[in-house]
Amino acid sequence: MLKSLCQKMFGRSLWVYHANSGGCNGCDIEVLNALTPYYDAERFGIRLVGSPRHADVMLCQGPAMRSTAKALQRAYEAMPAPKLVFAIGSCACGGGIWHDTYSVIGPLEKLLPVNYYVPGCPPRPEAIIYGVAVALGLVEKKSAPVQFKQMEYPVPRYHPQDLKEQDGIVVYEKLDTV
Amino acid sequence: MSLTSKLQEVLVCLRAGRVTLPYPAQSAPLPPRFRGRPIFDASKCIGCGGCASNCPAREILVYDVCQEIRILKYLGRRCTYCGRCADVCPEKAITMSHEFETATGTIGDIQQRLDLFMSTCQRCGRCFTEPSKLEELKLKGYRYDDLENERWIFRSQAYLEGQPVVDDIEIELD
Ligand code: SF4
Ligand code: SF4
Ligand code: SF4
């Protein structure tokens, strides 16, 4: 649903506002790198604007910080709807490496509703363009959660159907088959 | 802005040719030592927890369900791709892949979860420790990180000293 809305509302061009709420500047440089002629994000109509009032998309770098929380929220409120928020970098996605220090509130989603995440520290300019392309519906996202189970647990005590009780004591028995 | 300077500019542009990369249709080759997302190999992992203890972003959570089962959860969201987990892993179960196209609309998409079987002594039923270099990497005791809210729980010290358990640092927004 989000994707179809994106395609409809942002089909022509995205004007992005670039907000750093306290990152180390690494992600800022990669965002600007994505706008250089080599990567040329303007092919997709992406343009950097200087004021949140002109923007469709806010590219946020840096975690949610106490000192910039209010300013960031005000910038978000100043953007005309419909608006998207991109969390660029590990800081914005998950609070980053300093996620538990006193001045960091945590991931950006604690302050603003985040629509797309581009993890990386800093993400490559390609990764940022890829994130925008995912949002525009040009490419499919590649990541999916992974879960491995190493093996069937061969220990009988954790198969509750095999437990026996004798005089109020649970009796564990070794199974013949594992 | 004379005409000659314009002409010079045209010449510079012509000489440079076209440099724009047609990404995402085609991407430039990655540098060979590029570190992307760490990939966990569940068949090699012995569950020592060295990666969790050494991750600077505290990104790998450990939950001991019981003596035999340890859950390792890599969140992916605040990973800095530093490669330290792959460096300390004694079994080389973690590889730093070349994956960087991990952008997603749901942050849960980049997590990896391993349910590991931990061996126990056949006699006493406890997990046994080996006097080896592995010892340094191992997590001491059991850990109960909060898998739902994706945070570490620092309770070991308080537990040892008989103090009330303080779950985690909760920072309020003023
Ligand atoms: S994600 Fe990494 S590069 Fe980006 S602002 Fe945070 S620390 Fe800096
Ligand atoms: S690459 Fe670094 S930050 Fe990421 S899980 Fe490994 S040790 Fe942690
Ligand atoms: S350091 Fe390697 S073997 Fe130990 S728990 Fe992590 S992935 Fe498994």
Side-chain angles (χ1 to χ4, degrees):
Chain A
M1 203 221 43
L2 191 62
K3 197 185 270 176
S4 62
L5 185 78
C6 277
Q7 272 165 329
K8 205 164 146 203
M9 304 311 292
F10 303 110
R12 298 214 179 92
S13 61
L14 291 177
W15 284 17
V16 300
Y17 174 67
H18 161 208
N20 187 339
S21 60
C24 76
N25 231 226
C27 290
D28 296 278
I29 289 169
E30 297 298 336
V31 166
L32 296 181
N33 201 350
L35 298 164
T36 56
Y38 186 63
Y39 294 107
D40 201 11
E42 288 195 22
R43 283 178 295 152
F44 307 111
I46 297 168
R47 222 188 119 208
L48 202 63
V49 292
S51 162
R53 289 177 210 276
H54 302 159
D56 302 309
V57 174
M58 181 141 84
L59 299 179
C60 290
Q61 292 98 48
M65 307 251 298
R66 283 207 212 196
S67 49
T68 51
K70 288 223 172 91
L72 200 64
Q73 273 167 337
R74 278 184 56 203
Y76 180 74
E77 278 156 22
M79 278 166 61
K83 47 194 166 185
L84 288 181
V85 175
F86 277 58
I88 310 262
S90 310
C91 285
C93 289
I97 196 162
W98 298 284
H99 66 103
D100 53 357
T101 51
Y102 64 96
S103 56
V104 175
I105 301 165
L108 189 68
E109 64 200 23
K110 291 206 176 172
L111 290 182
L112 307 178
V114 178
N115 302 97
Y116 287 95
Y117 298 86
V118 183
C121 184
R124 285 174 73 80
E126 276 118 320
I128 298 171
I129 294 175
Y130 186 84
V132 175
V134 167
L136 290 175
L138 300 177
V139 285
E140 283 295 310
K141 68 174 180 190
K142 284 186 190 165
S143 42
V146 179
Q147 181 167 6
F148 302 104
K149 278 217 160 85
Q150 208 165 40
M151 59 174 99
E152 282 296 305
Y153 305 125
V155 183
R157 75 182 73 164
Y158 299 110
H159 299 274
Q161 69 272 22
D162 298 322
L163 289 185
K164 277 191 248 160
E165 200 186 324
Q166 232 173 43
D167 307 332
I169 299 169
V170 179
V171 180
Y172 300 122
E173 269 181 10
K174 213 175 158 193
L175 293 185
D176 297 334
T177 54
V178 168
Chain B
M1 275 297 162
S2 67
L3 191 64
T4 45
S5 76
K6 282 280 176 203
L7 282 175
Q8 268 174 355
E9 210 173 285
V10 166
L11 271 182
V12 167
C13 290
L14 282 179
R15 211 177 303 138
R18 182 194 275 189
V19 290
T20 303
L21 191 71
Y23 191 81
Q26 178 208 330
S27 62
L30 290 168
R33 294 180 63 197
F34 176 76
R35 289 192 309 267
R37 192 163 88 107
I39 301 285
F40 287 71
D41 185 347
S43 59
K44 284 188 194 161
C45 176
I46 54 171
C48 66
C51 50
S53 296
N54 283 280
C55 174
R58 290 177 185 158
E59 153 92 349
I60 302 167
L61 306 182
V62 180
Y63 186 87
D64 292 313
V65 180
C66 58
Q67 267 188 356
E68 280 84 8
I69 300 163
R70 170 170 275 180
I71 298 176
L72 215 66
K73 188 173 172 191
Y74 163 80
L75 305 177
R77 56 190 308 173
R78 51 176 181 256
C79 179
T80 57
Y81 305 146
C82 64
R84 204 154 147 188
C85 51
D87 195 29
V88 300
C89 179
E91 295 296 311
K92 300 281 162 260
I94 304 174
T95 37
M96 301 306 289
S97 70
H98 279 190
E99 266 177 46
F100 63 89
E101 293 164 333
T102 47
T104 169
T106 331
I107 194 69
D109 278 354
I110 38 181
Q111 68 192 20
Q112 297 173 53
R113 185 183 148 127
L114 274 64
D115 289 19
L116 303 166
F117 175 70
M118 308 290 287
S119 353
T120 48
C121 169
Q122 290 296 303
R123 275 197 157 180
C124 64
R126 294 195 198 100
C127 295
F128 53 86
T129 54
E130 290 162 274
S132 70
K133 273 179 81 180
L134 272 181
E135 200 75 345
E136 294 164 17
L137 298 174
K138 272 191 175 169
L139 286 177
K140 302 286 188 291
Y142 293 100
R143 277 260 298 273
Y144 306 94
D145 291 339
D146 191 347
L147 298 188
E148 301 303 315
N149 298 316
E150 305 189 341
R151 62 205 318 196
W152 271 36
I153 294 186
F154 307 92
R155 69 166 70 180
S156 53
Q157 202 65 29
Y159 185 76
L160 285 178
E161 290 166 4
Q163 292 161 349
V165 167
V166 183
D167 271 357
D168 202 349
I169 310 153
E170 187 65 66
I171 297 173
E172 294 293 333
L173 172 59
D174 53 22

